[in-house]
Amino acid sequence: MEGTPKVAATEPMAETRAPRAAPRRRLLSAAGLLAALILVIGVNVLAETFLARYRIDLTEQRLYTLSDGTKSVLRAIPEPITVRLYYSSRLGRDIPVYAAYATRVRELLHEYAALAGGQIRLEFYEPEPFSEVEDRALAYGLQGVPVDQSGEQVFFGLAATNLLDEERTIPFFQPERERFLEYDLTRLVFELSNPRRPKVGVMTGLPMNGEMRGPMGRPTPPWVVMTQMRQFLSVQDVALDVAEIPADIDVLMVAHPQGLGDQTQYAIDQFVMRGGKLMLVLDPHSEAQAARPGPGGMPTRETASDLPRLLETWGVRYDKDQVAGDLRGAMRVRAGERERVQAVDYVAWFTTSGPGQINRDDPATGQLNQISVASAGFLAKRDGAGITFEPLVTTSPEAAPVPAEKVRLEPNPTQILAEFRPGNEKLVLAARVRGELPSAFPDGPPPAEEGAQAPERTQPHRARSEGPANLVVIADSDLLEDRFWVRVQDFFGQQVATPFADNGALVVNLLDTLSGSDALIGLRSRGESRRPFELVDAMRRQAEADFRAREQALQKRLEETEAKLRELRRGTGEAGRADPVLTPEQRAAIDAARADILDTRRELRAVQRDLRREIEGLQTTLRLANIVAVPVVVALIAIALGFWRIRRRARRAHEPHEATA
């Protein structure tokens, strides 16, 4: 009896508290949302202020992670550099691939500026048509590209300057070179930080600078590769008997060294030991030398070059008595006796253009398409050598060594081809070599020859290289000669060179990369921000393979019917003469041929339409998946969470009643 009034007294109290608690809860909820908003803004402000330099690169190919070489270049900038990016947003709207590429360029530039400690100043411009910004972009030499017939140009280039008004530009960011974006930007910064033009010393017995030939002593022009080198680099000739390489030379190019004395070999060795960059071009048989008359008027028999003492010490294996032969890229030459001259594949002369033959990850070779060589040797890393041996140019797998004596004097391409047995391994024709190297002269300079005075040297002897040495070794000197990679023609008194191979670009690119710092040499290609639809591409290729055969059959039928129609229209009378009057049978045949042509063209259009429809259908499916699938998944997750919360609240609501009961 006493419990009844207590229950009745508590129920009204609960009813009077509920209306007061609701506004308080709403107030607390609003305050919580406001506090969360303030917290989010504060965290973002603090992160932007203190954590801007700390980033996480979650891309698959580490697109935004800079290499150690780039970081060292950025930290060593002595004076401020201003970098101006000119980008037309219309280019990204019309061609989306450029929008993604532009985003990557901007992000990478911000990363450069953050690591440079204020020494890189960034400026971004939107060039409008006929504006001052467009005029400045053109004045820097940036490339404007028309997007339609109105003549309006879009820009996507970069211009950078230092305090000395030195300029470096990237006229237009080509998507094909996106893999080398970091190298190009770092190279630009390095050149503005070190404006001195690199000097390349050339030591060779080949007539790369031209020579006096013939009984009248007429001069021959320089080789095209030498002309290109002088356009981009400061080139200085170095004597073959030099005792010390000049200290101002950054890169030494030694091409086809023959009979070099110990003093000269010691000079090359010490140049590498003190940090100089070396391009060594060897050859088991120089076709250029074999085609030139010797002192007695006959070609010389000694056509091989080698530096065994240096190569063995530095860990590179090379045999001057072996030539690389390649069946896949063999050049066709005329061979045989006078009565039976025929075209034969000469395996000792070949081009490298197949997949995997040219290193696509190296900035010097990444965009080259074809290299031509003649009687080339091959290289390898010696067992146990502590060097990094990176192939740049290789043969195809259908290659094998050929004794060099078979290509010297009077080679027989037919016999060489008949005896050639290709293996299943690529041979390395050119390679980068890096590592700490010992000197080939550990006991110091070689003694002077009897009766000769010891040469004066300004540099002390070094028994090991100062840090990692950087070399490029090429096993063919004939890739430098004009006839193997370029056609030179006279055009109204001027010599015009038309390359059919990338030999000249290979040499200039290698010298260019060697002339940079060690940080630049260590840079390699990166991934691309473009992620193609591989499934779409595979379906496109399969669809084309399925439909092209039918399309070709219909096209052939169409051509045959049209030819028949032309014959019927001409008409023929007696004695095979043309008759302008057509018989009813001929008219009926013409009408049938026309109907056949219309039907064939209709089927051809249907085939082409089916080809496009299947590809477009897949693209539509992928778009719907990207646009619809993700929101649907999020909505389903939200619905599931909602049901879970409702059930959880219902369960909690029942718990007090069960306890009261």
Side-chain angles (χ1 to χ4, degrees), residues 447-452:
E449 296 182 2
E450 186 177 354

Side-chain angles (χ1 to χ4, degrees), residues 118-320:
Q119 294 294 76
I120 291 183
R121 303 168 183 171
L122 300 180
E123 298 178 5
F124 300 96
Y125 295 97
E126 169 83 16
E128 297 291 340
F130 310 107
S131 64
E132 294 183 0
V133 176
E134 184 184 59
D135 294 339
R136 287 199 299 270
L138 293 173
Y140 280 122
L142 304 188
Q143 182 180 357
V145 178
V147 292
D148 51 31
Q149 297 181 353
S150 65
E152 180 182 345
Q153 293 182 329
V154 294
F155 294 82
F156 186 21
L158 182 145
T161 57
N162 58 16
L163 294 182
L164 300 177
D165 291 332
E166 296 269 350
E167 294 181 5
R168 294 294 186 275
T169 62
I170 298 178
F172 198 89
F173 285 98
Q174 299 289 348
E176 292 79 10
R177 197 170 172 80
E178 184 180 358
R179 294 179 295 120
F180 304 108
L181 175 61
E182 182 185 357
Y183 175 83
D184 291 338
L185 292 177
T186 305
R187 177 82 191 188
L188 180 143
V189 172
F190 175 78
E191 290 180 352
L192 289 175
S193 303
N194 304 270
R196 187 182 70 87
R197 194 176 183 185
K199 180 175 288 188
V200 176
V202 178
M203 178 188 297
T204 182
L206 298 173
M208 296 179 62
N209 290 308
E211 62 178 342
M212 305 300 291
R213 182 180 295 180
M216 302 299 295
R218 298 183 60 181
T220 61
W223 290 4
V224 175
V225 68
M226 179 61 74
T227 303
Q228 292 185 352
M229 288 168 54
R230 294 188 184 278
Q231 289 176 350
F232 298 99
L233 303 162
S234 177
V235 180
Q236 175 181 333
D237 294 330
V238 179
L240 292 170
D241 58 352
V242 68
E244 186 177 66
I245 307 300
D248 61 341
I249 288 180
D250 302 294
V251 182
L252 178 64
M253 177 180 180
V254 180
H256 196 49
Q258 289 182 305
L260 297 186
D262 289 343
Q263 301 294 341
T264 304
Q265 293 190 48
Y266 177 76
I268 298 173
D269 174 88
Q270 290 299 294
F271 174 78
V272 174
M273 294 302 107
R274 65 173 184 259
K277 315 301 189 304
L278 175 66
M279 176 188 284
L280 184 58
V281 184
L282 306 171
D283 205 334
H285 173 60
S286 171
E287 300 286 353
Q289 189 177 25
R292 295 168 57 210
M298 297 296 293
T300 179
R301 292 179 176 269
E302 297 296 331
T303 58
S305 57
D306 192 6
L307 290 177
R309 182 170 184 173
L310 300 182
L311 293 177
E312 290 178 5
T313 306
W314 295 343
V316 179
R317 189 167 71 243
Y318 162 79
D319 187 354
K320 70 174 183 178

Side-chain angles (χ1 to χ4, degrees), residues 292-438:
R292 295 168 57 210
M298 297 296 293
T300 179
R301 292 179 176 269
E302 297 296 331
T303 58
S305 57
D306 192 6
L307 290 177
R309 182 170 184 173
L310 300 182
L311 293 177
E312 290 178 5
T313 306
W314 295 343
V316 179
R317 189 167 71 243
Y318 162 79
D319 187 354
K320 70 174 183 178
D321 294 323
Q322 294 286 332
V323 170
D326 193 344
L327 186 60
R328 180 179 298 180
M331 300 182 189
R332 295 185 69 82
V333 299
R334 298 179 62 186
E337 301 176 356
R338 294 182 179 179
E339 295 80 7
R340 299 183 59 184
V341 176
Q342 57 184 342
V344 178
D345 288 338
Y346 189 24
V347 296
W349 295 4
F350 56 90
T351 59
T352 61
S353 58
Q357 293 186 249
I358 299 177
N359 190 338
R360 299 299 176 191
D361 294 330
D362 192 279
T365 57
Q367 290 187 302
L368 304 183
N369 298 315
Q370 177 174 301
I371 306 296
S372 298
V373 297
S375 303
F378 51 92
L379 310 165
K381 177 182 176 181
R382 289 190 174 277
D383 296 337
I387 59 173
T388 301
F389 185 86
E390 180 185 2
L392 297 175
V393 183
T394 66
T395 66
S396 74
E398 300 178 35
V402 176
E405 60 185 14
K406 291 187 176 182
V407 303
R408 295 170 182 161
L409 295 179
E410 297 181 2
N412 188 338
T414 305
Q415 182 180 357
I416 294 175
L417 179 62
E419 298 174 354
F420 185 72
R421 299 293 182 269
N424 193 27
E425 184 178 358
K426 296 180 180 180
L427 302 178
V428 179
L429 306 176
R432 284 192 189 272
V433 177
R434 297 196 70 199
E436 295 187 3
L437 304 179

Side-chain angles (χ1 to χ4, degrees), residues 543-544 546-552 554 600-614:
E544 288 182 355
D546 294 339
F547 289 115
R548 288 308 177 198
R550 186 181 174 195
E551 182 184 29
Q552 290 175 2
L554 290 172
T600 304
R601 287 179 175 172
R602 191 179 300 112
E603 292 182 25
L604 191 58
R605 287 195 298 270
V607 169
Q608 294 171 344
R609 185 170 58 252
D610 291 342
L611 173 62
R612 292 194 301 269
R613 183 183 298 141
E614 186 171 352

